[in-house]
Amino acid sequence: MQRMNCALLGFGYAGKTFHAPLLEAASDVELCMIQSSRPEAVHAAYPGVAVVADMHAVLANPAIELVVIATPNATHAPLARAALLAGKHVVVDKPFTLTVAEARDLVALARAHGLLLSVFQNRRWDADFLGLQALCAAGELGRVVQFSSQFNRYRPQVQARWREGAGDGAGLWYDLGPHLIDQALLLFGVPAGVTAQIRVMREGGLSPDWAHVQLHYPDKEVQLHASMLVSGGEPRFAVHGLQGSWIKYGLDEQENQLKAGVVPGGERWGLDSGESWLMTAAIPGRRHWKLPAGNYEAFYPAVVAAIRTRQCPPVTALQAVVVMAVLEAALQSSRLGRTVVPQLEENERLAFSAEGR
């Protein structure tokens, strides 16, 4: 079958580290164009790929079927809108947009034009999250009553880059919040309420670099935490159920592997070296819970298959709307100092259920 021609907008951290290598690794995708202001960097890494200075050359090219947007957060919505209006299928790096209103506008536009619209929620294919899903499916923990998910880094010095600047869409919550939220929604669905504190902790900080968010459910509590000031010691996941607990340390290895130039899907790709401990009432003591390999390279083949068969992509646009609604509710909660209920339409509430897909 003919490979799908794809263009990548942006060759910054996300484009260079994640999207370009994963697109190159996908056997059914032809990465044939990259929009970047740094052509020398693109040519050094991908000498056979055409480089253009702006997106107009991409949108005017009838051979391009899929456009991947890996530009600064504030540009996601306008670029996605332009690509959809040009008749292109679109994948947007997280966060989908800056607001729920923008997200809904894009969903309606994609639906009206019969085009695929998806969001790159790669952390669904983290080794530890895949292992957690298997753990829950096996019933090892029983009903989960307490769930803690932390995504921490240690960068005490503020860096001069847009992600840490004062612009719209900057800050840790827009950067890591979509990952934390998406994983929680996949496991537990839409929360009844959101209570959050989102703050600037570092000296000279221009945007939030610390977030503590509580998702409230009738039968459980979910804690999501992100910080730029944790140098170690905290578990990535701590999950407690009526029949046992699971504790996992360390982040998934795939991002570091991509940064080191490891080819996706190769030997030892996605293997997680972090400690993974299961403790259950049925078996005394703690035991190692083996994790599957991470699988970021599954995303783009699934996108292509969805386009060709007109089926649901691996991350649906409605799911991305719900993530934005919870992200926005957390920002509002932090600002107002009270619990906020995510405002969702009925079809959006079903987005993370089997019938909603």
Side-chain angles (χ1 to χ4, degrees):
M1 186 176 292
Q2 186 176 2
R3 302 176 82 188
M4 181 169 290
N5 289 333
C6 172
L8 171 63
L9 304 185
F11 200 66
Y13 184 80
K16 181 179 179 179
T17 304
F18 292 100
H19 295 281
L22 293 173
L23 288 164
E24 278 283 283
S27 62
D28 44 8
V29 174
E30 183 71 35
L31 177 58
C32 51
M33 190 175 289
I34 295 176
Q35 179 270 316
S36 174
S37 60
R38 301 183 301 125
E40 66 288 344
V42 178
H43 286 312
Y46 301 98
V49 177
V51 183
V52 296
D54 60 62
M55 71 177 298
H56 299 295
V58 171
L59 301 187
N61 188 331
I64 300 296
E65 297 178 73
L66 174 65
V67 172
V68 175
I69 297 171
T71 54
N73 296 345
T75 68
H76 288 184
L79 292 181
R81 166 170 273 278
L84 290 169
L85 288 172
K88 312 298 185 184
H89 303 288
V90 175
V91 168
V92 187
D93 195 64
K94 58 79 204 165
F96 183 20
T97 56
L98 297 189
T99 67
V100 177
E102 289 178 335
R104 287 178 175 144
D105 176 67
L106 292 178
V107 171
L109 185 62
R111 185 181 295 119
H113 288 263
L115 295 166
L116 177 139
L117 175 63
S118 185
V119 176
F120 185 64
Q121 288 286 4
N122 59 300
R123 296 288 171 177
R124 292 188 181 191
W125 292 272
D126 279 0
D128 48 18
F129 186 67
L130 293 173
L132 173 57
Q133 288 179 303
L135 188 69
C136 292
E140 292 279 357
L141 303 180
R143 180 171 64 83
V144 173
V145 296
Q146 183 178 329
F147 176 86
S148 173
S149 176
Q150 297 199 40
F151 202 144
N152 296 313
R153 292 170 172 157
Y154 186 63
R155 296 178 184 166
Q157 303 301 320
V158 177
Q159 299 180 9
R161 56 180 193 152
W162 68 262
R163 293 181 188 276
E164 299 182 42
D168 292 340
L172 195 64
W173 184 236
Y174 271 103
D175 187 21
L176 301 183
H179 291 316
L180 295 167
I181 294 167
D182 185 68
Q183 290 181 337
L185 295 180
L186 277 172
L187 292 171
F188 308 119
V190 179
V194 179
T195 306
Q197 289 184 307
I198 300 171
R199 301 177 58 183
V200 178
M201 293 290 197
R202 295 178 298 174
E203 292 184 8
L206 301 174
S207 56
D209 52 22
W210 183 93
H212 188 79
V213 178
Q214 197 90 5
L215 307 184
H216 308 294
Y217 294 85
D219 62 346
K220 64 179 62 69
E221 287 293 319
V222 170
Q223 296 177 349
L224 309 179
H225 188 83
S227 173
M228 294 288 253
L229 290 171
V230 175
S231 58
E234 296 288 344
R236 170 68 180 89
F237 289 107
V239 189
H240 307 287
L242 297 180
Q243 296 177 20
S245 298
W246 178 66
I247 309 295
K248 163 64 172 49
Y249 290 90
L251 292 174
D252 180 88
E253 300 282 355
Q254 290 171 95
E255 180 173 356
N256 284 334
Q257 289 181 320
L258 287 168
K259 287 166 64 176
V262 177
V263 177
E267 185 180 0
R268 301 197 62 77
W269 168 260
L271 298 183
D272 195 314
S273 60
E275 295 180 61
S276 168
W277 299 110
L278 177 62
M279 295 146 281
T280 62
I283 302 176
R286 68 177 189 176
R287 52 193 164 110
H288 176 71
W289 178 261
K290 182 175 175 56
L291 300 174
N295 195 21
Y296 288 179
E297 70 274 20
F299 179 79
Y300 279 110
V303 166
V304 172
I307 292 171
R308 288 177 170 158
T309 62
R310 301 189 70 83
Q311 300 296 315
C312 286
V315 180
T316 71
L318 274 184
Q319 288 175 339
V321 170
V322 180
V323 170
M324 290 308 306
V326 175
L327 185 146
E328 200 170 78
L331 291 170
Q332 186 180 10
S333 170
S334 182
R335 185 171 63 252
L336 299 177
R338 61 175 175 81
T339 298
V340 171
V341 178
Q343 298 302 303
L344 292 165
E345 299 169 3
E346 186 57 32
N347 64 328
E348 294 166 352
R349 289 190 172 276
L350 295 174
F352 281 89
S353 65
E355 59 182 307
R357 288 179 63 86

